[in-house]
Amino acid sequence: MNQIRPHTGHCPGRSIGFYLVIGLLWLAALAVSPSRGAAADYGYIDLTNPFLRKIPIAIPQFRTLNPGAEVDRLAAEGSRLMSDTLNFTGYFMIVDPAAYLIDPSKMGVTQADVDFKAWKEIGSDLLITGLTALDEDVVEMELRLFDTVKQQLLLGKRYAARASDYRRLVRRFCAEVLLHLTGSAGPFESKIAFVSTGSGQKEIYTCDFDGYDPQPFTRHQSISLRPSWSSDGQWISYTAYRKDRAELYIRHRTDKRGAVVSQAGLNLNGGWVPGRFELGATLSVSGDQEIYLLTGAGDIVKRLTQQPDIDVSPTFSPDGKRMAFVSKRAGSPQIYVMDLGSGQSERLTFEGNYNTQPSWSPKGDRIAYTGMVKNRIDIYVIDLRTRAIAQLTRDSGDNESATWSPDGSLIAFSSTREGTSRIYVMTAFGTDQRRLLTLPGAQSMPSWSPGGIQ
Amino acid sequence: MRNKWWMVLALLVVVPGLLLSTGCAKQAVKADAEVSQATGQDQAALEAERARKAAEAARLAAEEEARRRAEEARQREIAAFQNENVHFEFDRSDLTPEAVAILKKKAAWLNANPQVAVMVEGHCDERGTNEYNLALGERRAQSAKNFLVNMGISASRLSSISYGEERPLDPGQDEAAWAKNRRAQFVIQ
């Protein structure tokens, strides 16, 4: 049993100097595995539909180790952010602080000091405690996850970071919590690219997975559309108009590097092939719209479709062996799946006469798409094995452009449910639909990055 | 010091002014005398000259008016050419009979104006989804362009671009607006 002891004896700054010397922006350290027996336990969450029964979790305001207005602020912000971040996943029900039987400002934070019964009594199966210390501009947090029913420490970590980076520190612990409970670290290290008209023209922007810190990515001042991320998360490709042509741009996320695909006709961006530096694109250089496989440098590897009608919107299976796309070959736009080895295609959707924008789930078992029925545009998901279709949005404006979080648990999409098009997030089962962010202008075409790029 | 400068300035301006004004008076008197002597002999010639100039002015004005009218007519033709769009059915890029009639008129005008080059823009209504609409818009532009080429317009005078649903003419959200937005539009380059 290797647990964190009460942190009262010495200043936490002792270890901080060491970490700054090794140059880390922030440091996950003194990671305390509670015990061999309490290793990852997925029994808490039913992974077949984890959002049916949310796990009640209490996250009382973090305690502080040393006095001061700034450390008080960090403790309050940190615990609030942890509630928001875990709530974002859709797995949890955050217990209302008004129900607490214990004053958070006086409670103990370690296994020895936590009054488990008081938390179990208000229905909280899980509890997170935090202890915050501030030394100059370095914040240190000890964070613990408890099972109040088993009265057991599930996870204990101590982190240090620059105070301005406390957000990453909180997210790192949230990822540990999710990894422990679900086996997947969640979407916390991912970003979302999208289109916004805030400047008057459609430009590409990026923000954190939870809508935090939106930043402009393009400044073409024309029309920029449909961003997508390379499978290593380092490149963003998109379509933009220059002069009299829609071109495909492949740009590095941070450096001024990249390529432009500018064949005659349309050059439309598509999805990237997981695990490879390749992407699908729609080019009409042959005279009609066909899907091509391109290298990340913009060179044509091969032409994938050979039909005289519209073929567009490629998205690839996680193993890179199959591609879903939209084709009008049967008279109306429908989703097809192509085996890239044999080149054989199979029609996937038969309901309705307008199914577009396929997005292959990171787990590989399902494809989300946009269907139009009686002028209503909604997000649907089709199970590739059973072909069962689930409608995820309804009676709430037009809903388009589904994109999966890297862990497959969430879907971002655009909706006109509040009038202007904005970006929303829901669980993969359609529950917990809420707006991701509010910016000037209209937002559309979200694209969720792979994990691990924060 | 400053007073001295003022005096110099006054002398420079005022004295030559006086000299000039007396000079002018003398010349004016002389000119009057010349005119009165010439009156009898040149009256007829002057009248003829005046008439000739008036006729010339009238002719120029008429020409200018004709030019202006021709230019206005041409601008109307250009506006008619550019403002008359070809419309499409939902999710279709084939030409309706109305579209064919409009395109025949456009072909005739392009034949009569061989120096004109045209960009054919394909557009969609806001229903449906963006990427598919970019492809559909391109097919609409190509349909219209191919028809004009088949009518004998050189392909080198025609280019095409798709804007999908990005440039609606009518922001409305009803069938009337959608029908207006499903179009090929013709822009003289």
Side-chain angles (χ1 to χ4, degrees):
Chain A
M1 228 30 183
N2 180 17
Q3 293 183 357
I4 304 177
R5 294 217 309 278
H7 205 305
T8 50
H10 56 265
C11 173
R14 184 180 60 88
S15 56
I16 286 167
F18 167 74
Y19 290 113
L20 291 182
V21 165
I22 60 175
L24 287 177
L25 237 188
W26 72 290
L27 356 134
L30 306 183
V32 183
S33 288
S35 71
R36 282 175 296 277
D41 183 350
Y42 310 151
Y44 291 91
I45 292 172
D46 172 13
L47 291 173
T48 58
N49 187 345
F51 311 106
L52 275 180
R53 182 190 166 273
K54 294 177 184 293
I55 316 171
I57 185 168
I59 308 172
Q61 181 166 329
F62 297 163
R63 298 285 311 271
T64 55
L65 192 61
N66 45 352
E70 185 61 10
V71 70
D72 284 350
R73 187 188 68 82
L74 285 166
E77 294 266 304
S79 38
R80 190 186 50 74
L81 178 64
M82 188 161 298
S83 290
D84 290 350
T85 304
L86 289 178
N87 194 38
F88 188 88
T89 65
Y91 292 126
F92 302 96
M93 195 274 286
I94 311 294
V95 173
D96 182 354
Y100 292 172
L101 301 175
I102 286 176
D103 179 356
S105 68
K106 298 191 175 70
M107 66 179 282
V109 298
T110 62
Q111 176 146 23
D113 300 333
V114 167
D115 180 355
F116 289 109
K117 280 186 187 144
W119 295 105
K120 192 183 157 210
E121 200 173 319
I122 59 169
S124 185
D125 292 357
L126 297 173
L127 168 72
I128 288 177
T129 66
L131 186 65
T132 311
L134 185 66
D135 182 28
E136 308 219 327
D137 74 331
V138 173
V139 62
E140 192 169 294
M141 284 190 191
E142 278 185 20
L143 299 164
R144 293 176 177 82
L145 171 70
F146 295 103
D147 179 326
T148 64
V149 181
K150 294 181 188 157
Q151 307 203 351
Q152 195 176 34
L153 176 72
L154 299 177
L155 201 59
K157 298 275 176 183
R158 186 195 299 165
Y159 303 103
R162 293 220 178 94
S164 56
D165 261 350
Y166 79 95
R167 179 172 286 269
R168 299 178 67 188
L169 184 161
V170 170
R171 284 176 178 169
R172 178 61 72 93
F173 187 71
C174 289
E176 295 285 350
V177 170
L178 237 62
L179 186 63
H180 187 85
L181 298 177
T182 71
S184 158
F188 310 124
E189 304 273 301
S190 63
K191 284 179 168 282
I192 293 175
F194 57 96
V195 171
S196 180
T197 63
S199 67
Q201 310 278 358
K202 285 192 173 176
E203 302 280 5
I204 311 292
Y205 289 66
T206 60
C207 65
D208 287 0
F209 74 98
D210 55 358
Y212 181 76
D213 193 27
Q215 296 287 341
F217 182 69
T218 64
R219 287 183 182 83
H220 288 292
Q221 301 184 331
S222 58
I223 306 171
S224 298
L225 301 168
R226 213 286 199 190
S228 58
W229 297 82
S230 65
S231 50
D232 66 357
Q234 294 308 303
W235 301 79
I236 296 175
S237 54
Y238 57 94
T239 304
Y241 281 77
R242 185 167 62 177
K243 293 179 197 141
D244 292 327
R245 192 171 293 178
E247 300 176 321
L248 194 170
Y249 288 74
I250 304 169
R251 269 184 52 193
H252 192 268
R253 188 164 72 88
T254 51
D255 304 347
K256 286 194 169 173
R257 294 190 275 147
V260 182
V261 181
S262 184
Q263 307 271 355
L266 285 174
N267 300 271
L268 299 184
N269 183 36
W272 289 69
V273 186
R276 294 217 292 268
F277 193 54
E278 289 176 350
L279 72 160
T282 301
L283 309 179
S284 59
V285 62
S286 72
D288 85 308
Q289 302 77 29
E290 302 286 359
I291 296 170
Y292 292 76
L293 186 66
L294 307 182
T295 68
D299 300 319
I300 293 175
V301 177
K302 64 193 268 199
R303 177 171 160 178
L304 297 176
T305 57
Q306 313 278 344
Q307 291 275 337
D309 231 306
I310 295 174
D311 292 303
V312 74
S313 302
T315 176
F316 295 88
S317 62
D319 62 7
K321 290 179 177 163
R322 288 184 294 166
M323 169 181 78
F325 61 103
V326 174
S327 180
K328 205 190 182 185
R329 61 191 62 177
S332 67
Q334 298 291 347
I335 315 285
Y336 291 73
V337 172
M338 176 185 284
D339 182 293
L340 293 174
S342 68
Q344 294 298 309
S345 292
E346 183 196 1
R347 181 169 166 181
L348 186 64
T349 55
F350 290 89
E351 292 197 20
N353 58 10
Y354 201 105
N355 295 309
T356 61
Q357 295 182 327
S359 176
W360 209 307
S361 81
K363 289 176 184 165
D365 56 342
R366 298 191 290 167
I367 288 175
Y369 63 93
T370 306
M372 179 157 62
V373 178
K374 291 181 184 157
N375 281 342
R376 301 204 77 111
I377 299 175
D378 281 300
I379 309 286
Y380 297 79
V381 166
I382 185 165
D383 184 302
L384 285 167
R385 194 175 52 79
T386 64
R387 302 291 160 100
I389 293 170
Q391 182 176 350
L392 299 191
T393 61
R394 65 180 73 237
D395 302 329
S396 50
D398 286 342
N399 302 279
E400 296 184 27
S401 299
T403 177
W404 298 81
S405 65
D407 62 337
S409 66
L410 299 169
I411 292 174
F413 59 104
S414 68
S415 177
T416 58
R417 60 188 59 188
E418 293 172 280
T420 305
S421 177
R422 305 244 181 252
I423 292 169
Y424 295 76
V425 174
M426 59 185 166
T427 68
F429 294 84
T431 66
D432 302 272
Q433 300 188 8
R434 69 276 193 189
R435 195 185 326 113
L436 180 73
L437 79 176
T438 305
L439 286 176
Q443 288 79 49
S444 59
M445 299 182 204
S447 173
W448 215 314
S449 80
I453 66 159
Q454 287 281 336
Chain B
M1 192 67 180
R2 182 165 286 180
N3 285 341
K4 234 181 206 173
W5 276 111
W6 274 114
M7 277 170 59
V8 172
L9 201 63
L11 285 172
L12 281 174
V13 174
V14 175
V15 173
L18 287 170
L19 290 172
L20 275 174
S21 60
T22 50
C24 281
K26 275 180 188 163
Q27 277 177 3
V29 169
K30 194 181 170 194
D32 280 351
E34 281 173 4
V35 168
S36 62
Q37 281 172 11
T39 305
Q41 305 166 3
D42 299 337
Q43 190 65 41
L46 279 173
E47 286 293 334
E49 175 66 10
R50 212 172 281 139
R52 196 185 59 77
K53 278 187 177 158
E56 175 71 6
R59 192 182 60 78
L60 284 174
E63 268 180 15
E64 177 58 32
E65 175 66 11
R67 225 188 344 261
R68 195 176 57 78
R69 287 205 177 151
E71 181 57 25
E72 272 176 10
R74 186 177 157 71
Q75 286 306 324
R76 269 197 303 275
E77 273 181 25
I78 288 174
F81 181 86
Q82 294 202 117
N83 292 340
E84 190 170 26
N85 296 331
V86 167
H87 293 103
F88 296 84
E89 298 293 313
F90 176 70
D91 193 25
R92 300 290 288 269
S93 56
D94 49 344
L95 299 172
T96 64
E98 295 79 27
V100 167
I102 293 169
L103 284 169
K104 280 181 176 165
K105 276 197 292 180
K106 290 196 188 298
W109 189 80
L110 286 171
N111 261 325
N113 295 274
Q115 77 290 356
V116 171
V118 174
M119 170 71 83
V120 186
E121 298 178 355
H123 298 269
C124 302
D125 66 31
E126 60 162 11
R127 291 175 304 162
T129 50
N130 178 279
E131 247 165 278
Y132 179 79
N133 274 340
L134 285 170
L136 181 64
E138 182 172 59
R139 295 183 83 88
R140 286 176 176 164
Q142 284 168 345
S143 279
K145 181 183 160 184
N146 290 343
F147 186 90
L148 294 175
V149 170
N150 289 338
M151 292 290 289
I153 309 301
S154 164
S156 64
R157 295 169 60 194
L158 302 169
S159 45
S160 66
I161 188 171
S162 172
Y163 283 107
E165 59 183 87
E166 300 301 322
R167 298 261 168 95
L169 271 186
D170 186 330
Q173 299 187 330
D174 50 32
E175 181 47 42
W178 293 330
K180 235 180 266 178
N181 292 335
R182 294 191 297 266
R183 69 200 192 275
Q185 204 171 321
F186 302 82
V187 181
I188 291 171
Q189 298 290 289

